[in-house]
Amino acid sequence: MSRVALVTGGSRGIGAAIAKALQAAGYTVAANYAGNDEAAAKFTEETGIKTYKWSVADYDACVEGIAKVEAELGPVDVLVNNAGITRDAPFHKMTREQWQQVMDTNLSGVFNMTHPLWPGMRERKFGRVINISSINGQKGQFGQANYSAAKAGDIGFTKALAQEGARAGVTVNAICPGYVATEMVMAVPEKVRESIIATIPVGRLGEPEDIARCVVFLASDDAGFITGSTITANGGQYLT
Ligand SMILES: NC(=O)c1ccc[n+]([C@@H]2O[C@H](COP(=O)([O-])OP(=O)(O)OC[C@H]3O[C@@H](n4cnc5c(N)ncnc54)[C@H](OP(=O)(O)O)[C@@H]3O)[C@@H](O)[C@H]2O)c1
């Protein structure tokens, strides 16, 4: 029987590429999303991957949503915490709401999804938790005190939990993408995009598939000795 993978924010952007790559690698995949029903329906139609709507910022909704996925597809072996949002503003203009929304989704969302799945992974002596952080959690970014703090928090969470999961066969790793050509990045004016590309040594934006391939590797049995690590996939833009 194939392993089950659950990808949060899996209906669009990087998450959609991750869901498709895991499907191609033989996993039974569930993709969660927050509110864009149209994009989710289109994604399911194109890929056959089931989509499930709930907010990762809501713990009870995560428990309920995970129970539905597991009832339909079986126990989740691979969790990819990919859902994320930005609410950018220079700090002197940042509202408490902008801070809280980003923390709730990008950091607490990772807790909310991992916590209900953790006991099952430990009991079955196998699990993969893969957290999609960001280059801006590693280096910080002007206008993103909220986002950078949450994404750095995801790396700390990864390192701590990796130590708890290791003996139970559960690995926990993070991936830090650089700038990837998703709708979000392609929406910025071309001039700004060109100026970003000029700072990337490989001379291009990342493709969602560049990140998806890292996920497929970390999810595999071949990656069983890798835990608590951070894979940096940014075209050489920031070297840790
Ligand atoms: N794009 C980049 O250059 C880049 C770089 C570094 C890191 N990242 C990180 O990579 C991840 C994916 O980014 P992306 O650019 O692919 O984003 P995206 O295109 O904006 O897609 C975001 C996905 O997350 C879902 N989502 C948002 N809030 C959610 C919530 N509360 N609960 C459940 N799902 C939620 C969205 O669902 P709906 O469709 O329903 O809105 C959508 O499926 C994020 O964590 C982001 O921070 C991106």
Side-chain angles (χ1 to χ4, degrees), residues 9-15 32-36 54-57 82-85 105 132-134 147 151 177-180 182 184-185:
S11 61
R12 291 195 290 120
I14 294 172
N32 144 276
Y33 71 103
N36 190 334
W54 75 83
S55 172
V56 298
N82 165 79
I85 58 169
T105 300
I132 307 302
S133 177
S134 169
Y147 184 86
K151 292 295 187 180
Y179 286 87
V180 178
T182 60
M184 187 172 79
V185 171

Side-chain angles (χ1 to χ4, degrees), residues 23-76:
Q23 182 190 46
Y27 295 83
T28 301
V29 181
N32 144 276
Y33 71 103
N36 190 334
D37 296 320
E38 203 182 317
K42 190 163 169 258
F43 177 74
T44 300
E45 197 182 300
E46 283 170 7
T47 62
I49 294 171
K50 282 190 166 187
T51 48
Y52 298 84
K53 181 175 168 177
W54 75 83
S55 172
V56 298
D58 178 340
Y59 186 88
D60 293 336
C62 290
V63 170
E64 209 177 297
I66 288 167
K68 190 168 182 228
V69 169
E70 293 200 318
E72 293 182 10
L73 306 180
V76 172

Side-chain angles (χ1 to χ4, degrees), residues 9-239:
S11 61
R12 291 195 290 120
I14 294 172
I18 293 170
K20 285 195 267 186
L22 287 168
Q23 182 190 46
Y27 295 83
T28 301
V29 181
N32 144 276
Y33 71 103
N36 190 334
D37 296 320
E38 203 182 317
K42 190 163 169 258
F43 177 74
T44 300
E45 197 182 300
E46 283 170 7
T47 62
I49 294 171
K50 282 190 166 187
T51 48
Y52 298 84
K53 181 175 168 177
W54 75 83
S55 172
V56 298
D58 178 340
Y59 186 88
D60 293 336
C62 290
V63 170
E64 209 177 297
I66 288 167
K68 190 168 182 228
V69 169
E70 293 200 318
E72 293 182 10
L73 306 180
V76 172
D77 304 295
V78 178
L79 169 65
V80 186
N81 285 310
N82 165 79
I85 58 169
T86 51
R87 296 288 183 269
D88 296 354
F91 192 60
H92 63 282
K93 290 187 179 161
M94 187 173 285
T95 63
R96 287 177 67 182
E97 199 184 18
Q98 286 172 317
W99 172 267
Q100 203 56 51
Q101 284 177 351
V102 169
M103 293 313 258
D104 287 350
T105 300
N106 297 10
L107 183 57
S108 296
V110 173
F111 170 85
N112 294 343
M113 286 299 300
T114 310
H115 193 253
L117 286 167
W118 193 248
M121 288 183 176
R122 278 167 48 90
E123 269 166 36
R124 294 187 299 277
K125 299 271 178 257
F126 180 86
R128 296 282 187 262
V129 178
I130 300 162
N131 301 317
I132 307 302
S133 177
S134 169
I135 184 175
N136 292 343
Q138 295 173 301
K139 71 172 186 59
Q141 176 61 37
F142 184 99
Q144 289 197 326
N146 50 2
Y147 184 86
S148 298
K151 292 295 187 180
D154 291 335
I155 296 172
F157 173 84
T158 298
K159 291 179 177 176
L161 202 59
Q163 297 176 42
E164 296 191 25
R167 284 292 165 97
V170 185
T171 67
V172 187
N173 291 289
I175 298 171
C176 285
Y179 286 87
V180 178
T182 60
E183 277 171 42
M184 187 172 79
V185 171
M186 295 314 278
V188 306
E190 199 178 337
K191 257 194 167 170
V192 178
R193 216 165 50 239
E194 290 305 323
S195 69
I196 293 171
I197 292 170
T199 66
I200 304 174
V202 302
R204 66 168 177 90
L205 295 170
E207 294 297 329
E209 292 73 18
D210 289 320
I211 310 307
R213 281 189 288 273
C214 299
V215 172
V216 172
F217 172 61
L218 288 174
S220 71
D221 286 329
D222 287 344
F225 198 57
I226 300 172
T227 194
S229 77
T230 301
I231 293 189
T232 294
N234 65 24
Q237 190 182 4
Y238 180 71
L239 306 174

